[in-house]
Amino acid sequence: MPLGTSATVDESRSLGRFVLTGSQQFNLRADIAQSLAGRVGSVTLLPFSVAELGNAGLIPIERNQLIVQGLYPPVYDRPVEPQVWYENYVSSYVERDVRQVLAVK
């Protein structure tokens, strides 16, 4: 039997054996919810809070810089300019998901 089918999940009673990660994909999420109903936990990962950045010593001194940089982790743990990262984020995820939900071609 292929690894990762719902039958595989049923056979093993150990929790947390499979972890599915990634950006929001509405069709995939609907399929998982149907095939693994009652056996799936979902965790929403939010951007950093101002307190978290402060505790890590990463909070920008200038308020305007904090607004421009935002609170998403890649802006703080990768050598990438915030503007470049956010442009890629919007084009990779937001535009794709909006097209998918609205069935835009």
Side-chain angles (χ1 to χ4, degrees):
M1 178 174 302
L3 182 65
T5 65
S6 59
T8 303
V9 173
D10 288 336
E11 290 170 5
S12 172
R13 305 309 284 168
S14 64
L15 300 177
R17 184 167 170 210
F18 298 96
V19 177
L20 305 176
T21 65
S23 68
Q24 175 70 292
Q25 294 185 20
F26 298 103
N27 292 338
L28 177 61
R29 185 175 174 140
D31 291 343
I32 289 172
Q34 290 173 12
S35 65
L36 298 174
R39 297 170 282 172
V40 174
S42 179
V43 177
T44 300
L45 299 176
L46 299 173
F48 288 134
S49 69
V50 171
E52 288 173 316
L53 289 178
N55 290 339
L58 296 173
I59 195 162
I61 296 170
E62 299 283 330
R63 184 179 300 190
N64 288 341
Q65 185 180 356
L66 176 62
I67 292 169
V68 169
Q69 281 187 218
L71 300 169
Y72 281 91
V75 174
Y76 294 91
D77 69 1
R78 298 178 189 167
V80 62
E81 289 295 318
Q83 181 179 355
V84 171
W85 187 84
Y86 282 107
E87 286 174 5
N88 290 322
Y89 178 83
V90 168
S91 66
S92 296
Y93 298 109
V94 177
E95 291 175 4
R96 181 202 65 202
D97 289 346
V98 168
R99 278 193 305 270
Q100 190 174 15
V101 169
L102 299 177
V104 175
K105 303 280 183 209

